[in-house]
Amino acid sequence: MFNFNFQYPFGFFSVFLPALFNLGILVYIFLFLPKIRVTNIFALVTVACTLWQLNDCVQRVSVTESAADAWDSIFSAAWLFIGPLCLHFSLLYTRAKIQHSRLYTYLIYAPGFIFLTLYQGHFYDHPFKKMAIWGWTNFHNDSIIDIIQIYWVSLSVVGALILLFVHTFKIQNDKLLKRQSFFITIGIAIPTVAGTVTQVIMPTVFHHDPIPVTSTFMTFLSVATVIALKKYNLFTVSDLISNRALIDSIPIIVFSVSTDKRITYINRFGKQKLGLSRKDHITLLKMDNLFYHATEEEIQGFDEMWRRVTEERKIENRESVLMTPVGKINIILSSNPIVNNNKVQGILFTARDITELKRTNQLLEEAQHISHIGSWDWDTETTTVRWSNEMYRIYGYKPGELSPLEIFLKHVPATEQEKIKKVMDTARNDYGPVSYYHSIVRKDGTVVEVHAQGKVTLNERNEVIRINGTTQDVTELRHKEEMLRRQNEELQKINSELDKFVYSVSHDLRAPLTSMLGIIEISEEETAEPSLREQLLLLRKSIYKLDKFILNILDYSRNARQDINKEEIDFRQMVADIVKGMDVAGNGAPKVDIRIGVDGNHRLYSDKNRISIVLNNLISNGIRYCDTRSNQPFVEVNLHFRGKEACIVVKDNGIGIDKGMHDRIFEMFYRGSEKSTGSGLGLYIAKEAVNRLNGRITVQSERDKGSIFSVYLPNN
Amino acid sequence: MQENLQQRRYRLVMIIDDTDTDRFIAEHYVKKCALSERVISKASAIDALHYLTDNLNLASELPDLILLDIRLPGMDGFEFLQEYEKLPSLHDKCTVVMLSSSMDPRDLDRAKTNPFVKSFISKPLNREKVEVL
């Protein structure tokens, strides 16, 4: 058997060299190609190929036929299984949908074992023939089993070829993949066609001597496939992801439980969550261990779920709680029956952590509860309506007591329903936002007023699929609004009455004063008696003081009640009028020099009456408290502008005000010193008027040096 | 005396005021300043109106100056002016001056915008104010 003669070097080398080459490819596969099923099977194809080629090597150079037969017996499995292996490879490569059927592997490989047994056991004669050039070669004779066997090998490969061809043809979008698939198809097509013609059809149909080139040609497949796999990146990254890796990496707790409720698997994320180390023997855990804290009620729920999943094979979801090292987490537990061989082998559980979701929901729920705002969601396609818990409470129901639609129909008056229907119809037509008020007769019979607001959601075809929004209990708000309105009305009435009252009172108070002044004036004219004239003057002064006080009160009430009416003010004219008015007021012509200055061409826009009140008080103070010892007492009234602000400055060189009093001079009825002759209202009223105009008033003053009052006003 | 040298500017002055003191003051100055020789005083606008309508045809008895108070019982100064508007034969010959102790800007505005009111005088009436008339 180990005697060789090399009289047919071509026959030997035509297979020996490809065999060496294939060995190289095998090494390459092991070193560089990813370790996944499709490459594993491909490696097996290459192994079979190499062995087949080695078989041919030693067989061809054997000295005797029995030696050739012995070698062939050793290696025959290689060429016998090349067909099924090719088919298996192409099934995997083309991703034909046969994944969970065990049957296909039987179909592919089972005949091989039968044929191998028959072949190796020499149940039929399979002689060798010494051929020119080649040396000893298998000679498939007319034995029917032999023919079936080689047809089976050949058909398997043809099947693989067809699969690959169809696959190549079907690939449309991925040029790379198409080229790669094409390469493999060509690679398998060459030995298939060659082998089928030379070693199957020629001897069996035409009874011609076979030409043993198939094994040599098989190298084409190896080369083409390696090129395809390498150059065209056969394996997308997704091919490299195993199911296990996928399950381990998703952030969901996944665990499987056998029918006796033992945990058989927990994914990596689950182990981390539950605080289990990789080394922990999870198989010692039971389902109950995971939910050791469950209440009686929950355990019943689990049992019920278990029954439904295992017996009715339903997929079940339920909310539950898991204990973890970091505390309780809320989960949604989904259970899927694992059915294999038509039997429930266990249950696959997935648990999604919804703690955060629950917390957010709870916050929303609380916010709704506090603000009495409920939310609703109307799916216009399925016509289902969902309500938040607060929504039920607005209607006086417990959450989920009745369906939202039932409650709505029962507790919203029919006329209101009509109104809402119209609003919704409009919203569906013009996609606009929704806002309406309606009343509700609550479950306990009380009537509340609510305000609903919503928005419309469209799908990609611009059809309304959803209207959702909020409903707020505005009864209280409405009550308050109504109360406010009534109070406002009342206030307005009081205001106008007060106005009339003040007007009448002031008139009726002033009228006699003016009459008295008139009579005093006549008396003064008609007497030359100095002491009488002196007394008349004192009388007149008292009357002026009283009159001034009445005018102050009038100013005060007018400032408080009258609306602000802004207009352009002729500042110089106004000051002149005021000064003139003071003349008339009978203090005698003031010995005080009044100076007026206005910045540039600016105009003052403000409320005439109020500015007049302010100026009146400031100027009259300036005059009244002038320093009689001074040679040139003056009051300077200047108007400056700075940006959008106007500043009125009233400056005098009068007796001044002590620093300690600055804070108090604007107080009501505050009188600074024995020299104060007024009522203590003037500056208070001035400040009030400035406040009403959104301005501010400041004072700078020193005893014996004079005072500067600055009034800052918005000028627009 | 000085007053007598002054020309009398009005033929007949009508004073409408409910306060007798004020009527007295007004009469005093009208006479003192020789505004007119004749003065008719009425304590209410209604009386004044009656007088005017009764004497519509007697040109010599009709005033060419009316000193009108604003605040009057029954019919106030402005209401009187509305009635006065209905007596067109008076409008050319007669001047109306309003006289009031009111400092209310609204009264001032109303008086100023009324087409029949020539001017507004704040009380008390005195020599200077009368001489402007």
Side-chain angles (χ1 to χ4, degrees), chain A residues 169-198:
Chain A
F169 185 73
K170 271 188 183 166
I171 298 172
Q172 301 243 318
N173 299 323
D174 194 334
K175 266 190 177 169
L176 208 67
L177 204 63
K178 201 177 180 84
R179 219 173 295 166
Q180 178 191 67
S181 182
F182 181 69
F183 248 86
I184 297 175
T185 312
I186 294 295
I188 210 166
I190 293 171
T192 307
V193 173
T196 309
V197 172
T198 59

PDB file of all heavy atoms in Angstrom, chain A residues 169-198:
ATOM      1  N   PHE A 169     -28.989  36.335  -8.362  1.00  0.00           N
ATOM      2  CA  PHE A 169     -29.949  37.016  -9.232  1.00  0.00           C
ATOM      3  C   PHE A 169     -30.877  37.928  -8.429  1.00  0.00           C
ATOM      4  O   PHE A 169     -31.241  39.005  -8.870  1.00  0.00           O
ATOM      5  CB  PHE A 169     -30.767  35.948  -9.978  1.00  0.00           C
ATOM      6  CG  PHE A 169     -31.699  36.542 -10.990  1.00  0.00           C
ATOM      7  CD1 PHE A 169     -31.193  37.071 -12.193  1.00  0.00           C
ATOM      8  CD2 PHE A 169     -33.068  36.594 -10.759  1.00  0.00           C
ATOM      9  CE1 PHE A 169     -32.046  37.619 -13.111  1.00  0.00           C
ATOM     10  CE2 PHE A 169     -33.920  37.158 -11.684  1.00  0.00           C
ATOM     11  CZ  PHE A 169     -33.416  37.660 -12.867  1.00  0.00           C
ATOM     12  N   LYS A 170     -31.196  37.466  -7.228  1.00  0.00           N
ATOM     13  CA  LYS A 170     -32.164  38.221  -6.405  1.00  0.00           C
ATOM     14  C   LYS A 170     -31.577  39.478  -5.771  1.00  0.00           C
ATOM     15  O   LYS A 170     -32.306  40.401  -5.429  1.00  0.00           O
ATOM     16  CB  LYS A 170     -32.705  37.321  -5.278  1.00  0.00           C
ATOM     17  CG  LYS A 170     -33.946  36.538  -5.691  1.00  0.00           C
ATOM     18  CD  LYS A 170     -34.501  35.851  -4.473  1.00  0.00           C
ATOM     19  CE  LYS A 170     -35.705  34.992  -4.818  1.00  0.00           C
ATOM     20  NZ  LYS A 170     -36.016  34.091  -3.701  1.00  0.00           N
ATOM     21  N   ILE A 171     -30.275  39.466  -5.586  1.00  0.00           N
ATOM     22  CA  ILE A 171     -29.678  40.643  -4.930  1.00  0.00           C
ATOM     23  C   ILE A 171     -29.807  41.841  -5.868  1.00  0.00           C
ATOM     24  O   ILE A 171     -29.393  41.788  -7.028  1.00  0.00           O
ATOM     25  CB  ILE A 171     -28.195  40.406  -4.592  1.00  0.00           C
ATOM     26  CG1 ILE A 171     -28.075  39.250  -3.616  1.00  0.00           C
ATOM     27  CG2 ILE A 171     -27.564  41.662  -4.011  1.00  0.00           C
ATOM     28  CD1 ILE A 171     -26.652  38.817  -3.372  1.00  0.00           C
ATOM     29  N   GLN A 172     -30.388  42.894  -5.370  1.00  0.00           N
ATOM     30  CA  GLN A 172     -30.665  44.023  -6.267  1.00  0.00           C
ATOM     31  C   GLN A 172     -29.863  45.263  -5.905  1.00  0.00           C
ATOM     32  O   GLN A 172     -29.255  45.883  -6.749  1.00  0.00           O
ATOM     33  CB  GLN A 172     -32.151  44.367  -6.191  1.00  0.00           C
ATOM     34  CG  GLN A 172     -33.028  43.196  -6.567  1.00  0.00           C
ATOM     35  CD  GLN A 172     -33.849  43.466  -7.789  1.00  0.00           C
ATOM     36  OE1 GLN A 172     -34.379  44.543  -7.932  1.00  0.00           O
ATOM     37  NE2 GLN A 172     -33.935  42.507  -8.672  1.00  0.00           N
ATOM     38  N   ASN A 173     -29.911  45.586  -4.624  1.00  0.00           N
ATOM     39  CA  ASN A 173     -29.401  46.904  -4.250  1.00  0.00           C
ATOM     40  C   ASN A 173     -27.925  46.917  -3.871  1.00  0.00           C
ATOM     41  O   ASN A 173     -27.284  47.942  -3.954  1.00  0.00           O
ATOM     42  CB  ASN A 173     -30.210  47.459  -3.080  1.00  0.00           C
ATOM     43  CG  ASN A 173     -31.669  47.600  -3.473  1.00  0.00           C
ATOM     44  OD1 ASN A 173     -31.966  47.954  -4.609  1.00  0.00           O
ATOM     45  ND2 ASN A 173     -32.560  47.287  -2.550  1.00  0.00           N
ATOM     46  N   ASP A 174     -27.449  45.771  -3.453  1.00  0.00           N
ATOM     47  CA  ASP A 174     -26.088  45.754  -2.944  1.00  0.00           C
ATOM     48  C   ASP A 174     -25.140  45.207  -3.999  1.00  0.00           C
ATOM     49  O   ASP A 174     -25.015  44.007  -4.188  1.00  0.00           O
ATOM     50  CB  ASP A 174     -26.064  44.910  -1.672  1.00  0.00           C
ATOM     51  CG  ASP A 174     -24.787  45.131  -0.912  1.00  0.00           C
ATOM     52  OD1 ASP A 174     -23.785  45.501  -1.540  1.00  0.00           O
ATOM     53  OD2 ASP A 174     -24.802  44.934   0.319  1.00  0.00           O
ATOM     54  N   LYS A 175     -24.443  46.097  -4.677  1.00  0.00           N
ATOM     55  CA  LYS A 175     -23.552  45.681  -5.763  1.00  0.00           C
ATOM     56  C   LYS A 175     -22.444  44.774  -5.264  1.00  0.00           C
ATOM     57  O   LYS A 175     -22.078  43.781  -5.904  1.00  0.00           O
ATOM     58  CB  LYS A 175     -22.910  46.922  -6.401  1.00  0.00           C
ATOM     59  CG  LYS A 175     -23.670  47.439  -7.605  1.00  0.00           C
ATOM     60  CD  LYS A 175     -22.827  48.467  -8.277  1.00  0.00           C
ATOM     61  CE  LYS A 175     -23.519  48.978  -9.535  1.00  0.00           C
ATOM     62  NZ  LYS A 175     -22.848  50.152 -10.055  1.00  0.00           N
ATOM     63  N   LEU A 176     -21.923  45.137  -4.104  1.00  0.00           N
ATOM     64  CA  LEU A 176     -20.811  44.387  -3.536  1.00  0.00           C
ATOM     65  C   LEU A 176     -21.216  42.944  -3.269  1.00  0.00           C
ATOM     66  O   LEU A 176     -20.533  42.000  -3.644  1.00  0.00           O
ATOM     67  CB  LEU A 176     -20.427  45.083  -2.225  1.00  0.00           C
ATOM     68  CG  LEU A 176     -18.987  44.928  -1.807  1.00  0.00           C
ATOM     69  CD1 LEU A 176     -18.075  45.645  -2.781  1.00  0.00           C
ATOM     70  CD2 LEU A 176     -18.810  45.487  -0.409  1.00  0.00           C
ATOM     71  N   LEU A 177     -22.374  42.833  -2.624  1.00  0.00           N
ATOM     72  CA  LEU A 177     -22.881  41.523  -2.259  1.00  0.00           C
ATOM     73  C   LEU A 177     -23.155  40.702  -3.515  1.00  0.00           C
ATOM     74  O   LEU A 177     -22.909  39.507  -3.575  1.00  0.00           O
ATOM     75  CB  LEU A 177     -24.160  41.703  -1.443  1.00  0.00           C
ATOM     76  CG  LEU A 177     -24.505  40.552  -0.511  1.00  0.00           C
ATOM     77  CD1 LEU A 177     -23.416  40.390   0.545  1.00  0.00           C
ATOM     78  CD2 LEU A 177     -25.843  40.800   0.150  1.00  0.00           C
ATOM     79  N   LYS A 178     -23.639  41.373  -4.552  1.00  0.00           N
ATOM     80  CA  LYS A 178     -23.989  40.691  -5.790  1.00  0.00           C
ATOM     81  C   LYS A 178     -22.719  40.111  -6.428  1.00  0.00           C
ATOM     82  O   LYS A 178     -22.699  38.971  -6.865  1.00  0.00           O
ATOM     83  CB  LYS A 178     -24.657  41.686  -6.743  1.00  0.00           C
ATOM     84  CG  LYS A 178     -25.508  41.011  -7.817  1.00  0.00           C
ATOM     85  CD  LYS A 178     -26.197  42.045  -8.665  1.00  0.00           C
ATOM     86  CE  LYS A 178     -27.046  41.404  -9.731  1.00  0.00           C
ATOM     87  NZ  LYS A 178     -28.381  41.035  -9.252  1.00  0.00           N
ATOM     88  N   ARG A 179     -21.668  40.935  -6.424  1.00  0.00           N
ATOM     89  CA  ARG A 179     -20.431  40.484  -7.043  1.00  0.00           C
ATOM     90  C   ARG A 179     -19.834  39.315  -6.272  1.00  0.00           C
ATOM     91  O   ARG A 179     -19.345  38.350  -6.835  1.00  0.00           O
ATOM     92  CB  ARG A 179     -19.438  41.644  -7.108  1.00  0.00           C
ATOM     93  CG  ARG A 179     -18.658  41.632  -8.409  1.00  0.00           C
ATOM     94  CD  ARG A 179     -17.819  42.853  -8.553  1.00  0.00           C
ATOM     95  NE  ARG A 179     -18.613  44.067  -8.660  1.00  0.00           N
ATOM     96  CZ  ARG A 179     -18.090  45.286  -8.516  1.00  0.00           C
ATOM     97  NH1 ARG A 179     -16.807  45.431  -8.259  1.00  0.00           N
ATOM     98  NH2 ARG A 179     -18.836  46.345  -8.647  1.00  0.00           N
ATOM     99  N   GLN A 180     -19.932  39.453  -4.969  1.00  0.00           N
ATOM    100  CA  GLN A 180     -19.400  38.405  -4.109  1.00  0.00           C
ATOM    101  C   GLN A 180     -20.135  37.088  -4.336  1.00  0.00           C
ATOM    102  O   GLN A 180     -19.531  36.032  -4.546  1.00  0.00           O
ATOM    103  CB  GLN A 180     -19.607  38.872  -2.672  1.00  0.00           C
ATOM    104  CG  GLN A 180     -19.150  37.894  -1.649  1.00  0.00           C
ATOM    105  CD  GLN A 180     -19.654  38.350  -0.292  1.00  0.00           C
ATOM    106  OE1 GLN A 180     -20.860  38.350  -0.049  1.00  0.00           O
ATOM    107  NE2 GLN A 180     -18.748  38.763   0.552  1.00  0.00           N
ATOM    108  N   SER A 181     -21.450  37.189  -4.354  1.00  0.00           N
ATOM    109  CA  SER A 181     -22.272  36.014  -4.563  1.00  0.00           C
ATOM    110  C   SER A 181     -21.989  35.413  -5.944  1.00  0.00           C
ATOM    111  O   SER A 181     -21.943  34.191  -6.114  1.00  0.00           O
ATOM    112  CB  SER A 181     -23.731  36.423  -4.439  1.00  0.00           C
ATOM    113  OG  SER A 181     -24.556  35.321  -4.599  1.00  0.00           O
ATOM    114  N   PHE A 182     -21.778  36.290  -6.897  1.00  0.00           N
ATOM    115  CA  PHE A 182     -21.491  35.855  -8.263  1.00  0.00           C
ATOM    116  C   PHE A 182     -20.186  35.051  -8.297  1.00  0.00           C
ATOM    117  O   PHE A 182     -20.102  33.996  -8.914  1.00  0.00           O
ATOM    118  CB  PHE A 182     -21.386  37.093  -9.163  1.00  0.00           C
ATOM    119  CG  PHE A 182     -21.106  36.772 -10.596  1.00  0.00           C
ATOM    120  CD1 PHE A 182     -22.062  36.145 -11.384  1.00  0.00           C
ATOM    121  CD2 PHE A 182     -19.877  37.075 -11.171  1.00  0.00           C
ATOM    122  CE1 PHE A 182     -21.808  35.847 -12.707  1.00  0.00           C
ATOM    123  CE2 PHE A 182     -19.618  36.779 -12.490  1.00  0.00           C
ATOM    124  CZ  PHE A 182     -20.582  36.167 -13.263  1.00  0.00           C
ATOM    125  N   PHE A 183     -19.186  35.533  -7.598  1.00  0.00           N
ATOM    126  CA  PHE A 183     -17.890  34.857  -7.519  1.00  0.00           C
ATOM    127  C   PHE A 183     -18.036  33.447  -6.992  1.00  0.00           C
ATOM    128  O   PHE A 183     -17.511  32.491  -7.549  1.00  0.00           O
ATOM    129  CB  PHE A 183     -16.962  35.653  -6.582  1.00  0.00           C
ATOM    130  CG  PHE A 183     -15.815  36.284  -7.295  1.00  0.00           C
ATOM    131  CD1 PHE A 183     -15.924  37.522  -7.891  1.00  0.00           C
ATOM    132  CD2 PHE A 183     -14.596  35.593  -7.377  1.00  0.00           C
ATOM    133  CE1 PHE A 183     -14.866  38.091  -8.552  1.00  0.00           C
ATOM    134  CE2 PHE A 183     -13.532  36.174  -8.030  1.00  0.00           C
ATOM    135  CZ  PHE A 183     -13.652  37.429  -8.629  1.00  0.00           C
ATOM    136  N   ILE A 184     -18.760  33.329  -5.898  1.00  0.00           N
ATOM    137  CA  ILE A 184     -18.928  32.010  -5.286  1.00  0.00           C
ATOM    138  C   ILE A 184     -19.683  31.088  -6.237  1.00  0.00           C
ATOM    139  O   ILE A 184     -19.355  29.906  -6.400  1.00  0.00           O
ATOM    140  CB  ILE A 184     -19.665  32.145  -3.938  1.00  0.00           C
ATOM    141  CG1 ILE A 184     -18.817  32.974  -2.974  1.00  0.00           C
ATOM    142  CG2 ILE A 184     -19.957  30.779  -3.337  1.00  0.00           C
ATOM    143  CD1 ILE A 184     -19.495  33.286  -1.658  1.00  0.00           C
ATOM    144  N   THR A 185     -20.701  31.667  -6.902  1.00  0.00           N
ATOM    145  CA  THR A 185     -21.488  30.867  -7.853  1.00  0.00           C
ATOM    146  C   THR A 185     -20.592  30.325  -8.962  1.00  0.00           C
ATOM    147  O   THR A 185     -20.654  29.138  -9.299  1.00  0.00           O
ATOM    148  CB  THR A 185     -22.619  31.727  -8.456  1.00  0.00           C
ATOM    149  OG1 THR A 185     -23.285  32.390  -7.392  1.00  0.00           O
ATOM    150  CG2 THR A 185     -23.612  30.879  -9.224  1.00  0.00           C
ATOM    151  N   ILE A 186     -19.743  31.227  -9.499  1.00  0.00           N
ATOM    152  CA  ILE A 186     -18.824  30.782 -10.553  1.00  0.00           C
ATOM    153  C   ILE A 186     -17.879  29.711 -10.011  1.00  0.00           C
ATOM    154  O   ILE A 186     -17.638  28.673 -10.635  1.00  0.00           O
ATOM    155  CB  ILE A 186     -17.990  31.985 -11.089  1.00  0.00           C
ATOM    156  CG1 ILE A 186     -18.896  32.988 -11.794  1.00  0.00           C
ATOM    157  CG2 ILE A 186     -16.879  31.511 -12.036  1.00  0.00           C
ATOM    158  CD1 ILE A 186     -19.554  32.449 -13.057  1.00  0.00           C
ATOM    159  N   GLY A 187     -17.371  29.984  -8.789  1.00  0.00           N
ATOM    160  CA  GLY A 187     -16.433  29.045  -8.171  1.00  0.00           C
ATOM    161  C   GLY A 187     -17.026  27.663  -8.018  1.00  0.00           C
ATOM    162  O   GLY A 187     -16.363  26.654  -8.235  1.00  0.00           O
ATOM    163  N   ILE A 188     -18.292  27.604  -7.694  1.00  0.00           N
ATOM    164  CA  ILE A 188     -18.920  26.290  -7.500  1.00  0.00           C
ATOM    165  C   ILE A 188     -19.385  25.717  -8.848  1.00  0.00           C
ATOM    166  O   ILE A 188     -19.439  24.507  -9.041  1.00  0.00           O
ATOM    167  CB  ILE A 188     -20.074  26.386  -6.477  1.00  0.00           C
ATOM    168  CG1 ILE A 188     -20.224  25.048  -5.733  1.00  0.00           C
ATOM    169  CG2 ILE A 188     -21.383  26.782  -7.098  1.00  0.00           C
ATOM    170  CD1 ILE A 188     -21.090  25.162  -4.504  1.00  0.00           C
ATOM    171  N   ALA A 189     -19.661  26.641  -9.776  1.00  0.00           N
ATOM    172  CA  ALA A 189     -20.171  26.196 -11.074  1.00  0.00           C
ATOM    173  C   ALA A 189     -19.097  25.431 -11.861  1.00  0.00           C
ATOM    174  O   ALA A 189     -19.385  24.410 -12.491  1.00  0.00           O
ATOM    175  CB  ALA A 189     -20.673  27.386 -11.885  1.00  0.00           C
ATOM    176  N   ILE A 190     -17.846  25.897 -11.816  1.00  0.00           N
ATOM    177  CA  ILE A 190     -16.786  25.282 -12.611  1.00  0.00           C
ATOM    178  C   ILE A 190     -16.571  23.799 -12.249  1.00  0.00           C
ATOM    179  O   ILE A 190     -16.734  22.922 -13.104  1.00  0.00           O
ATOM    180  CB  ILE A 190     -15.470  26.091 -12.504  1.00  0.00           C
ATOM    181  CG1 ILE A 190     -15.669  27.462 -13.181  1.00  0.00           C
ATOM    182  CG2 ILE A 190     -14.300  25.344 -13.164  1.00  0.00           C
ATOM    183  CD1 ILE A 190     -14.526  28.419 -12.947  1.00  0.00           C
ATOM    184  N   PRO A 191     -16.279  23.484 -10.981  1.00  0.00           N
ATOM    185  CA  PRO A 191     -16.110  22.045 -10.677  1.00  0.00           C
ATOM    186  C   PRO A 191     -17.399  21.251 -10.864  1.00  0.00           C
ATOM    187  O   PRO A 191     -17.358  20.088 -11.248  1.00  0.00           O
ATOM    188  CB  PRO A 191     -15.668  22.037  -9.220  1.00  0.00           C
ATOM    189  CG  PRO A 191     -16.005  23.375  -8.669  1.00  0.00           C
ATOM    190  CD  PRO A 191     -16.022  24.321  -9.792  1.00  0.00           C
ATOM    191  N   THR A 192     -18.555  21.915 -10.581  1.00  0.00           N
ATOM    192  CA  THR A 192     -19.821  21.194 -10.706  1.00  0.00           C
ATOM    193  C   THR A 192     -20.040  20.754 -12.154  1.00  0.00           C
ATOM    194  O   THR A 192     -20.313  19.584 -12.433  1.00  0.00           O
ATOM    195  CB  THR A 192     -20.993  22.086 -10.268  1.00  0.00           C
ATOM    196  OG1 THR A 192     -20.721  22.589  -8.980  1.00  0.00           O
ATOM    197  CG2 THR A 192     -22.294  21.307 -10.237  1.00  0.00           C
ATOM    198  N   VAL A 193     -19.923  21.717 -13.042  1.00  0.00           N
ATOM    199  CA  VAL A 193     -20.172  21.395 -14.459  1.00  0.00           C
ATOM    200  C   VAL A 193     -19.133  20.394 -14.946  1.00  0.00           C
ATOM    201  O   VAL A 193     -19.472  19.356 -15.532  1.00  0.00           O
ATOM    202  CB  VAL A 193     -20.146  22.685 -15.315  1.00  0.00           C
ATOM    203  CG1 VAL A 193     -20.221  22.340 -16.799  1.00  0.00           C
ATOM    204  CG2 VAL A 193     -21.300  23.596 -14.914  1.00  0.00           C
ATOM    205  N   ALA A 194     -17.864  20.688 -14.613  1.00  0.00           N
ATOM    206  CA  ALA A 194     -16.796  19.796 -15.072  1.00  0.00           C
ATOM    207  C   ALA A 194     -17.000  18.383 -14.549  1.00  0.00           C
ATOM    208  O   ALA A 194     -16.973  17.412 -15.299  1.00  0.00           O
ATOM    209  CB  ALA A 194     -15.452  20.359 -14.625  1.00  0.00           C
ATOM    210  N   GLY A 195     -17.224  18.313 -13.202  1.00  0.00           N
ATOM    211  CA  GLY A 195     -17.369  17.003 -12.585  1.00  0.00           C
ATOM    212  C   GLY A 195     -18.581  16.256 -13.091  1.00  0.00           C
ATOM    213  O   GLY A 195     -18.517  15.071 -13.388  1.00  0.00           O
ATOM    214  N   THR A 196     -19.720  16.984 -13.195  1.00  0.00           N
ATOM    215  CA  THR A 196     -20.946  16.328 -13.629  1.00  0.00           C
ATOM    216  C   THR A 196     -20.783  15.774 -15.046  1.00  0.00           C
ATOM    217  O   THR A 196     -21.200  14.653 -15.350  1.00  0.00           O
ATOM    218  CB  THR A 196     -22.120  17.321 -13.577  1.00  0.00           C
ATOM    219  OG1 THR A 196     -22.142  17.931 -12.295  1.00  0.00           O
ATOM    220  CG2 THR A 196     -23.442  16.622 -13.800  1.00  0.00           C
ATOM    221  N   VAL A 197     -20.149  16.540 -15.919  1.00  0.00           N
ATOM    222  CA  VAL A 197     -19.991  16.097 -17.300  1.00  0.00           C
ATOM    223  C   VAL A 197     -18.990  14.946 -17.396  1.00  0.00           C
ATOM    224  O   VAL A 197     -19.299  13.876 -17.909  1.00  0.00           O
ATOM    225  CB  VAL A 197     -19.553  17.276 -18.208  1.00  0.00           C
ATOM    226  CG1 VAL A 197     -19.192  16.779 -19.603  1.00  0.00           C
ATOM    227  CG2 VAL A 197     -20.667  18.312 -18.277  1.00  0.00           C
ATOM    228  N   THR A 198     -17.784  15.178 -16.796  1.00  0.00           N
ATOM    229  CA  THR A 198     -16.719  14.197 -17.026  1.00  0.00           C
ATOM    230  C   THR A 198     -16.857  12.942 -16.203  1.00  0.00           C
ATOM    231  O   THR A 198     -16.505  11.866 -16.641  1.00  0.00           O
ATOM    232  CB  THR A 198     -15.340  14.812 -16.731  1.00  0.00           C
ATOM    233  OG1 THR A 198     -15.329  15.246 -15.358  1.00  0.00           O
ATOM    234  CG2 THR A 198     -15.061  15.989 -17.634  1.00  0.00           C
TER     235      THR A 198
END
